[in-house]
Amino acid sequence: MPNYNIFGNADKPLSQLQLNTYQSPSASAPAEASASQAGRLFAAGATNSASLGLLGGSIIITVQLTNPAGSERTAYISRISGGINISLNLLSSFSGSMSIVRNGTLTTPTTLTSANLNFSSSTTSLMAVRSSTSVSTGGTSVLTMPLAAGPLEFNEFGDFIIPSGQSFTLTISGALTVAGVIANTANIVWWEV
């Protein structure tokens, strides 16, 4: 059986059809790209920090995205990010965690303003976004995982879907056993259809 040359050469180039040109690219993009172009990609986040005393302690930040009952839109989580920053740590041991809860209840929440990630769009989010320095209560735990100190980012690409009357709650917590400064940040990016 002959060994046919599968690569083209100058005398006999292989035929090809180029579809991915700079004038009409065919590269695929996630849904967030078109959501942002339509002015429907939003973000909100919060930070909580403290200088912990000699006996250490824990710091918590919770961000909750709620789709109001009767809303005509559905929210899709694009990305969750944030992290735990530690400084002035005096031989302390550290523990951190992230949790996601469906339909949790916040203690003493603060309303957050969401930002439209298309800076030329005046569209506002229909979702209610709030934060708390406490862990949410009730609801259904969806995911809990340990965290190391430092930044975190999870691209969800719409894996979490929040229909009308439901909420998505993200909690980042960090603890030190001895004095130190700790800061927790939690961000949610979502699109609405």
Side-chain angles (χ1 to χ4, degrees):
M1 169 158 51
N3 186 7
Y4 294 107
N5 187 354
I6 61 167
F7 300 103
N9 59 37
D11 296 334
K12 294 182 182 180
L14 288 176
S15 300
Q16 64 180 358
L17 178 61
Q18 184 167 349
L19 300 174
N20 194 15
T21 67
Y22 74 94
Q23 293 171 330
S24 59
S26 63
S28 64
E32 295 92 333
S34 60
S36 182
Q37 289 174 354
R40 294 287 184 95
L41 186 66
F42 304 95
T47 299
N48 185 21
S49 64
S51 178
L52 302 175
L54 187 57
L55 298 177
S58 64
I59 298 295
I60 297 167
I61 189 65
T62 300
V63 175
Q64 182 178 66
L65 176 75
T66 301
N67 191 347
S71 167
E72 301 266 333
R73 292 189 192 170
T74 299
Y76 298 84
I77 302 299
S78 167
R79 180 174 300 108
I80 54 178
S81 64
I84 302 172
N85 185 27
I86 301 170
S87 58
L88 301 175
N89 183 357
L90 304 173
L91 302 174
S92 178
S93 78
F94 165 78
S95 63
S97 68
M98 177 188 82
S99 65
I100 295 173
V101 173
R102 176 178 168 238
N103 296 332
T105 302
L106 297 186
T107 304
T108 61
T110 301
T111 301
L112 299 175
T113 302
S114 58
N116 189 321
L117 298 183
N118 179 338
F119 294 169
S120 66
S121 175
S122 61
T123 303
T124 57
S125 173
L126 292 183
M127 305 302 125
V129 189
R130 303 177 307 158
S131 70
S132 175
T133 56
S134 301
V135 176
S136 66
T137 58
T140 304
S141 178
V142 176
L143 173 73
T144 301
M145 63 184 291
L147 290 180
L152 70 93
E153 180 177 39
F154 296 102
N155 294 311
E156 299 301 331
F157 304 116
D159 290 343
F160 292 100
I161 301 169
I162 299 89
S164 174
Q166 302 286 312
S167 67
F168 174 92
T169 307
L170 170 65
T171 299
I172 306 289
S173 62
L176 295 173
T177 57
V178 182
V181 177
I182 188 167
N184 295 351
T185 302
N187 302 298
I188 302 174
V189 178
W190 72 96
W191 76 87
E192 300 173 14
V193 178

mmCIF file of all heavy atoms in Angstrom, residues 116-157:
data_model
loop_
_atom_site.group_PDB
_atom_site.id
_atom_site.type_symbol
_atom_site.label_atom_id
_atom_site.label_comp_id
_atom_site.label_asym_id
_atom_site.label_seq_id
_atom_site.Cartn_x
_atom_site.Cartn_y
_atom_site.Cartn_z
ATOM 1 N N ASN A 116 -23.497 47.307 34.801
ATOM 2 C CA ASN A 116 -23.637 46.756 33.463
ATOM 3 C C ASN A 116 -22.243 46.743 32.854
ATOM 4 O O ASN A 116 -21.558 47.761 32.834
ATOM 5 C CB ASN A 116 -24.589 47.618 32.631
ATOM 6 C CG ASN A 116 -24.932 46.976 31.302
ATOM 7 O OD1 ASN A 116 -24.091 46.369 30.655
ATOM 8 N ND2 ASN A 116 -26.174 47.121 30.899
ATOM 9 N N LEU A 117 -21.799 45.585 32.373
ATOM 10 C CA LEU A 117 -20.446 45.466 31.852
ATOM 11 C C LEU A 117 -20.302 45.995 30.428
ATOM 12 O O LEU A 117 -19.191 46.034 29.894
ATOM 13 C CB LEU A 117 -19.955 44.025 31.973
ATOM 14 C CG LEU A 117 -19.870 43.532 33.414
ATOM 15 C CD1 LEU A 117 -19.307 42.126 33.470
ATOM 16 C CD2 LEU A 117 -19.066 44.461 34.289
ATOM 17 N N ASN A 118 -21.395 46.400 29.815
ATOM 18 C CA ASN A 118 -21.345 47.135 28.553
ATOM 19 C C ASN A 118 -21.473 48.603 28.928
ATOM 20 O O ASN A 118 -22.570 49.096 29.192
ATOM 21 C CB ASN A 118 -22.474 46.699 27.620
ATOM 22 C CG ASN A 118 -22.474 47.446 26.310
ATOM 23 O OD1 ASN A 118 -21.924 48.540 26.192
ATOM 24 N ND2 ASN A 118 -23.119 46.866 25.311
ATOM 25 N N PHE A 119 -20.354 49.307 28.968
ATOM 26 C CA PHE A 119 -20.342 50.671 29.481
ATOM 27 C C PHE A 119 -21.170 51.634 28.639
ATOM 28 O O PHE A 119 -21.485 52.729 29.096
ATOM 29 C CB PHE A 119 -18.912 51.182 29.605
ATOM 30 C CG PHE A 119 -18.095 50.448 30.631
ATOM 31 C CD1 PHE A 119 -16.737 50.632 30.692
ATOM 32 C CD2 PHE A 119 -18.656 49.561 31.537
ATOM 33 C CE1 PHE A 119 -15.955 49.977 31.629
ATOM 34 C CE2 PHE A 119 -17.906 48.894 32.482
ATOM 35 C CZ PHE A 119 -16.546 49.105 32.523
ATOM 36 N N SER A 120 -21.546 51.257 27.425
ATOM 37 C CA SER A 120 -22.373 52.139 26.607
ATOM 38 C C SER A 120 -23.861 51.828 26.750
ATOM 39 O O SER A 120 -24.684 52.479 26.128
ATOM 40 C CB SER A 120 -21.953 52.050 25.138
ATOM 41 O OG SER A 120 -22.231 50.762 24.628
ATOM 42 N N SER A 121 -24.217 50.861 27.577
ATOM 43 C CA SER A 121 -25.615 50.483 27.764
ATOM 44 C C SER A 121 -26.173 51.105 29.041
ATOM 45 O O SER A 121 -25.506 51.144 30.068
ATOM 46 C CB SER A 121 -25.751 48.956 27.848
ATOM 47 O OG SER A 121 -27.081 48.602 28.134
ATOM 48 N N SER A 122 -27.415 51.551 28.953
ATOM 49 C CA SER A 122 -28.084 52.098 30.139
ATOM 50 C C SER A 122 -29.044 51.083 30.767
ATOM 51 O O SER A 122 -29.746 51.396 31.721
ATOM 52 C CB SER A 122 -28.844 53.376 29.766
ATOM 53 O OG SER A 122 -29.826 53.071 28.788
ATOM 54 N N THR A 123 -29.050 49.852 30.259
ATOM 55 C CA THR A 123 -29.915 48.808 30.795
ATOM 56 C C THR A 123 -29.512 48.479 32.230
ATOM 57 O O THR A 123 -28.331 48.340 32.528
ATOM 58 C CB THR A 123 -29.824 47.529 29.935
ATOM 59 O OG1 THR A 123 -30.159 47.861 28.589
ATOM 60 C CG2 THR A 123 -30.753 46.447 30.445
ATOM 61 N N THR A 124 -30.494 48.367 33.101
ATOM 62 C CA THR A 124 -30.216 47.996 34.489
ATOM 63 C C THR A 124 -30.695 46.573 34.746
ATOM 64 O O THR A 124 -31.610 46.083 34.090
ATOM 65 C CB THR A 124 -30.912 48.958 35.476
ATOM 66 O OG1 THR A 124 -32.311 48.951 35.213
ATOM 67 C CG2 THR A 124 -30.367 50.369 35.341
ATOM 68 N N SER A 125 -30.084 45.956 35.712
ATOM 69 C CA SER A 125 -30.438 44.590 36.077
ATOM 70 C C SER A 125 -31.771 44.575 36.817
ATOM 71 O O SER A 125 -32.060 45.473 37.612
ATOM 72 C CB SER A 125 -29.352 43.997 36.969
ATOM 73 O OG SER A 125 -29.748 42.736 37.462
ATOM 74 N N LEU A 126 -32.551 43.538 36.573
ATOM 75 C CA LEU A 126 -33.789 43.350 37.328
ATOM 76 C C LEU A 126 -33.551 42.557 38.612
ATOM 77 O O LEU A 126 -34.429 42.445 39.449
ATOM 78 C CB LEU A 126 -34.834 42.613 36.483
ATOM 79 C CG LEU A 126 -35.404 43.360 35.292
ATOM 80 C CD1 LEU A 126 -36.482 42.514 34.619
ATOM 81 C CD2 LEU A 126 -35.950 44.707 35.692
ATOM 82 N N MET A 127 -32.339 42.015 38.778
ATOM 83 C CA MET A 127 -32.035 41.197 39.942
ATOM 84 C C MET A 127 -31.747 42.080 41.161
ATOM 85 O O MET A 127 -31.230 43.182 41.029
ATOM 86 C CB MET A 127 -30.819 40.303 39.694
ATOM 87 C CG MET A 127 -30.911 39.410 38.470
ATOM 88 S SD MET A 127 -32.310 38.306 38.461
ATOM 89 C CE MET A 127 -33.057 38.740 36.899
ATOM 90 N N ALA A 128 -32.085 41.573 42.333
ATOM 91 C CA ALA A 128 -31.732 42.236 43.586
ATOM 92 C C ALA A 128 -30.430 41.623 44.071
ATOM 93 O O ALA A 128 -30.323 40.398 44.168
ATOM 94 C CB ALA A 128 -32.836 42.041 44.617
ATOM 95 N N VAL A 129 -29.443 42.464 44.372
ATOM 96 C CA VAL A 129 -28.147 41.967 44.830
ATOM 97 C C VAL A 129 -27.875 42.567 46.204
ATOM 98 O O VAL A 129 -27.972 43.778 46.399
ATOM 99 C CB VAL A 129 -27.010 42.341 43.858
ATOM 100 C CG1 VAL A 129 -25.723 41.637 44.252
ATOM 101 C CG2 VAL A 129 -27.378 42.004 42.435
ATOM 102 N N ARG A 130 -27.555 41.693 47.154
ATOM 103 C CA ARG A 130 -27.314 42.125 48.532
ATOM 104 C C ARG A 130 -26.079 41.422 49.071
ATOM 105 O O ARG A 130 -25.693 40.371 48.568
ATOM 106 C CB ARG A 130 -28.529 41.797 49.407
ATOM 107 C CG ARG A 130 -29.805 42.419 48.885
ATOM 108 C CD ARG A 130 -31.026 42.051 49.687
ATOM 109 N NE ARG A 130 -31.170 40.615 49.835
ATOM 110 C CZ ARG A 130 -31.871 40.030 50.789
ATOM 111 N NH1 ARG A 130 -32.507 40.737 51.686
ATOM 112 N NH2 ARG A 130 -31.970 38.717 50.859
ATOM 113 N N SER A 131 -25.506 42.003 50.120
ATOM 114 C CA SER A 131 -24.360 41.381 50.772
ATOM 115 C C SER A 131 -24.579 41.354 52.270
ATOM 116 O O SER A 131 -25.411 42.086 52.807
ATOM 117 C CB SER A 131 -23.063 42.130 50.451
ATOM 118 O OG SER A 131 -23.049 43.385 51.091
ATOM 119 N N SER A 132 -23.813 40.504 52.934
ATOM 120 C CA SER A 132 -23.877 40.383 54.382
ATOM 121 C C SER A 132 -22.512 39.928 54.878
ATOM 122 O O SER A 132 -21.752 39.293 54.138
ATOM 123 C CB SER A 132 -24.950 39.368 54.794
ATOM 124 O OG SER A 132 -24.943 39.154 56.188
ATOM 125 N N THR A 133 -22.219 40.242 56.136
ATOM 126 C CA THR A 133 -20.973 39.766 56.745
ATOM 127 C C THR A 133 -21.230 38.525 57.593
ATOM 128 O O THR A 133 -20.429 38.175 58.449
ATOM 129 C CB THR A 133 -20.327 40.880 57.588
ATOM 130 O OG1 THR A 133 -21.271 41.327 58.550
ATOM 131 C CG2 THR A 133 -19.887 42.038 56.711
ATOM 132 N N SER A 134 -22.355 37.868 57.315
ATOM 133 C CA SER A 134 -22.709 36.612 57.992
ATOM 134 C C SER A 134 -23.019 35.549 56.944
ATOM 135 O O SER A 134 -23.359 35.859 55.807
ATOM 136 C CB SER A 134 -23.945 36.797 58.874
ATOM 137 O OG SER A 134 -23.731 37.779 59.838
ATOM 138 N N VAL A 135 -22.931 34.313 57.350
ATOM 139 C CA VAL A 135 -23.307 33.191 56.484
ATOM 140 C C VAL A 135 -24.821 33.185 56.336
ATOM 141 O O VAL A 135 -25.543 33.504 57.272
ATOM 142 C CB VAL A 135 -22.814 31.858 57.103
ATOM 143 C CG1 VAL A 135 -23.263 30.670 56.288
ATOM 144 C CG2 VAL A 135 -21.304 31.863 57.245
ATOM 145 N N SER A 136 -25.311 32.833 55.156
ATOM 146 C CA SER A 136 -26.767 32.740 54.967
ATOM 147 C C SER A 136 -27.324 31.573 55.784
ATOM 148 O O SER A 136 -26.613 30.608 56.084
ATOM 149 C CB SER A 136 -27.116 32.578 53.493
ATOM 150 O OG SER A 136 -26.653 31.342 53.010
ATOM 151 N N THR A 137 -28.586 31.682 56.141
ATOM 152 C CA THR A 137 -29.252 30.603 56.878
ATOM 153 C C THR A 137 -30.335 30.006 56.000
ATOM 154 O O THR A 137 -30.848 30.654 55.090
ATOM 155 C CB THR A 137 -29.872 31.126 58.191
ATOM 156 O OG1 THR A 137 -30.791 32.173 57.879
ATOM 157 C CG2 THR A 137 -28.803 31.653 59.125
ATOM 158 N N GLY A 138 -30.694 28.768 56.299
ATOM 159 C CA GLY A 138 -31.727 28.094 55.524
ATOM 160 C C GLY A 138 -31.257 27.820 54.108
ATOM 161 O O GLY A 138 -30.070 27.837 53.812
ATOM 162 N N GLY A 139 -32.181 27.573 53.245
ATOM 163 C CA GLY A 139 -31.852 27.282 51.859
ATOM 164 C C GLY A 139 -31.269 25.892 51.686
ATOM 165 O O GLY A 139 -31.201 25.092 52.618
ATOM 166 N N THR A 140 -30.827 25.628 50.481
ATOM 167 C CA THR A 140 -30.264 24.333 50.121
ATOM 168 C C THR A 140 -28.809 24.508 49.731
ATOM 169 O O THR A 140 -28.500 25.275 48.817
ATOM 170 C CB THR A 140 -31.036 23.720 48.937
ATOM 171 O OG1 THR A 140 -32.407 23.636 49.273
ATOM 172 C CG2 THR A 140 -30.503 22.348 48.579
ATOM 173 N N SER A 141 -27.922 23.799 50.416
ATOM 174 C CA SER A 141 -26.505 23.862 50.085
ATOM 175 C C SER A 141 -26.270 23.168 48.745
ATOM 176 O O SER A 141 -26.669 22.020 48.550
ATOM 177 C CB SER A 141 -25.683 23.184 51.181
ATOM 178 O OG SER A 141 -24.325 23.203 50.833
ATOM 179 N N VAL A 142 -25.641 23.872 47.830
ATOM 180 C CA VAL A 142 -25.370 23.335 46.496
ATOM 181 C C VAL A 142 -23.922 22.871 46.383
ATOM 182 O O VAL A 142 -23.633 21.837 45.805
ATOM 183 C CB VAL A 142 -25.676 24.400 45.423
ATOM 184 C CG1 VAL A 142 -25.311 23.907 44.038
ATOM 185 C CG2 VAL A 142 -27.141 24.822 45.479
ATOM 186 N N LEU A 143 -23.003 23.658 46.971
ATOM 187 C CA LEU A 143 -21.583 23.363 46.833
ATOM 188 C C LEU A 143 -20.834 23.973 48.003
ATOM 189 O O LEU A 143 -21.085 25.116 48.383
ATOM 190 C CB LEU A 143 -21.055 23.971 45.529
ATOM 191 C CG LEU A 143 -19.558 23.920 45.271
ATOM 192 C CD1 LEU A 143 -19.138 22.507 44.920
ATOM 193 C CD2 LEU A 143 -19.181 24.868 44.159
ATOM 194 N N THR A 144 -19.934 23.221 48.585
ATOM 195 C CA THR A 144 -19.021 23.726 49.614
ATOM 196 C C THR A 144 -17.648 23.164 49.317
ATOM 197 O O THR A 144 -17.516 21.973 49.030
ATOM 198 C CB THR A 144 -19.469 23.300 51.025
ATOM 199 O OG1 THR A 144 -20.778 23.806 51.263
ATOM 200 C CG2 THR A 144 -18.536 23.833 52.085
ATOM 201 N N MET A 145 -16.647 24.037 49.376
ATOM 202 C CA MET A 145 -15.298 23.563 49.103
ATOM 203 C C MET A 145 -14.279 24.379 49.882
ATOM 204 O O MET A 145 -14.518 25.538 50.192
ATOM 205 C CB MET A 145 -15.002 23.622 47.608
ATOM 206 C CG MET A 145 -15.019 25.011 47.016
ATOM 207 S SD MET A 145 -14.772 25.013 45.230
ATOM 208 C CE MET A 145 -13.082 24.497 45.123
ATOM 209 N N PRO A 146 -13.142 23.761 50.240
ATOM 210 C CA PRO A 146 -12.095 24.507 50.946
ATOM 211 C C PRO A 146 -11.392 25.457 49.985
ATOM 212 O O PRO A 146 -11.343 25.219 48.776
ATOM 213 C CB PRO A 146 -11.150 23.409 51.432
ATOM 214 C CG PRO A 146 -11.368 22.280 50.494
ATOM 215 C CD PRO A 146 -12.798 22.366 50.044
ATOM 216 N N LEU A 147 -10.857 26.533 50.532
ATOM 217 C CA LEU A 147 -10.113 27.501 49.736
ATOM 218 C C LEU A 147 -8.747 27.737 50.356
ATOM 219 O O LEU A 147 -8.617 27.779 51.576
ATOM 220 C CB LEU A 147 -10.839 28.849 49.685
ATOM 221 C CG LEU A 147 -12.124 28.950 48.895
ATOM 222 C CD1 LEU A 147 -12.669 30.365 48.995
ATOM 223 C CD2 LEU A 147 -11.908 28.560 47.447
ATOM 224 N N ALA A 148 -7.772 27.932 49.515
ATOM 225 C CA ALA A 148 -6.466 28.399 49.958
ATOM 226 C C ALA A 148 -6.491 29.920 49.903
ATOM 227 O O ALA A 148 -7.323 30.515 49.211
ATOM 228 C CB ALA A 148 -5.384 27.855 49.035
ATOM 229 N N ALA A 149 -5.602 30.545 50.611
ATOM 230 C CA ALA A 149 -5.509 31.999 50.540
ATOM 231 C C ALA A 149 -5.106 32.394 49.127
ATOM 232 O O ALA A 149 -4.342 31.703 48.464
ATOM 233 C CB ALA A 149 -4.496 32.506 51.551
ATOM 234 N N GLY A 150 -5.631 33.516 48.653
ATOM 235 C CA GLY A 150 -5.331 34.001 47.312
ATOM 236 C C GLY A 150 -6.593 34.181 46.505
ATOM 237 O O GLY A 150 -7.706 34.008 47.011
ATOM 238 N N PRO A 151 -6.443 34.522 45.235
ATOM 239 C CA PRO A 151 -7.608 34.774 44.390
ATOM 240 C C PRO A 151 -8.288 33.476 43.949
ATOM 241 O O PRO A 151 -7.670 32.412 43.932
ATOM 242 C CB PRO A 151 -7.023 35.512 43.188
ATOM 243 C CG PRO A 151 -5.612 35.037 43.117
ATOM 244 C CD PRO A 151 -5.187 34.779 44.539
ATOM 245 N N LEU A 152 -9.554 33.600 43.597
ATOM 246 C CA LEU A 152 -10.281 32.471 43.026
ATOM 247 C C LEU A 152 -11.150 32.974 41.889
ATOM 248 O O LEU A 152 -11.588 34.124 41.884
ATOM 249 C CB LEU A 152 -11.144 31.764 44.070
ATOM 250 C CG LEU A 152 -12.368 32.494 44.609
ATOM 251 C CD1 LEU A 152 -13.611 32.138 43.816
ATOM 252 C CD2 LEU A 152 -12.574 32.154 46.060
ATOM 253 N N GLU A 153 -11.341 32.123 40.905
ATOM 254 C CA GLU A 153 -12.235 32.441 39.797
ATOM 255 C C GLU A 153 -12.755 31.141 39.211
ATOM 256 O O GLU A 153 -11.987 30.238 38.911
ATOM 257 C CB GLU A 153 -11.517 33.252 38.721
ATOM 258 C CG GLU A 153 -12.436 33.596 37.561
ATOM 259 C CD GLU A 153 -11.749 34.461 36.516
ATOM 260 O OE1 GLU A 153 -10.564 34.233 36.233
ATOM 261 O OE2 GLU A 153 -12.426 35.343 35.988
ATOM 262 N N PHE A 154 -14.064 31.070 39.091
ATOM 263 C CA PHE A 154 -14.706 29.919 38.475
ATOM 264 C C PHE A 154 -15.594 30.435 37.350
ATOM 265 O O PHE A 154 -16.511 31.211 37.587
ATOM 266 C CB PHE A 154 -15.544 29.128 39.485
ATOM 267 C CG PHE A 154 -14.729 28.508 40.575
ATOM 268 C CD1 PHE A 154 -14.677 29.083 41.829
ATOM 269 C CD2 PHE A 154 -14.008 27.352 40.344
ATOM 270 C CE1 PHE A 154 -13.917 28.527 42.842
ATOM 271 C CE2 PHE A 154 -13.246 26.783 41.348
ATOM 272 C CZ PHE A 154 -13.199 27.367 42.599
ATOM 273 N N ASN A 155 -15.312 30.004 36.132
ATOM 274 C CA ASN A 155 -16.142 30.366 34.995
ATOM 275 C C ASN A 155 -17.271 29.351 34.906
ATOM 276 O O ASN A 155 -17.035 28.164 34.697
ATOM 277 C CB ASN A 155 -15.316 30.380 33.709
ATOM 278 C CG ASN A 155 -14.282 31.473 33.734
ATOM 279 O OD1 ASN A 155 -14.605 32.618 34.042
ATOM 280 N ND2 ASN A 155 -13.047 31.142 33.435
ATOM 281 N N GLU A 156 -18.467 29.821 35.083
ATOM 282 C CA GLU A 156 -19.630 28.929 35.113
ATOM 283 C C GLU A 156 -20.338 28.841 33.771
ATOM 284 O O GLU A 156 -21.039 27.880 33.502
ATOM 285 C CB GLU A 156 -20.612 29.380 36.200
ATOM 286 C CG GLU A 156 -20.022 29.355 37.596
ATOM 287 C CD GLU A 156 -19.523 27.978 38.011
ATOM 288 O OE1 GLU A 156 -20.056 26.968 37.541
ATOM 289 O OE2 GLU A 156 -18.577 27.923 38.806
ATOM 290 N N PHE A 157 -20.228 29.870 32.940
ATOM 291 C CA PHE A 157 -20.816 29.879 31.600
ATOM 292 C C PHE A 157 -22.302 29.528 31.592
ATOM 293 O O PHE A 157 -22.783 28.834 30.709
ATOM 294 C CB PHE A 157 -20.057 28.948 30.656
ATOM 295 C CG PHE A 157 -18.591 29.248 30.552
ATOM 296 C CD1 PHE A 157 -17.655 28.324 30.972
ATOM 297 C CD2 PHE A 157 -18.148 30.459 30.058
ATOM 298 C CE1 PHE A 157 -16.297 28.599 30.882
ATOM 299 C CE2 PHE A 157 -16.796 30.742 29.970
ATOM 300 C CZ PHE A 157 -15.862 29.812 30.376
#
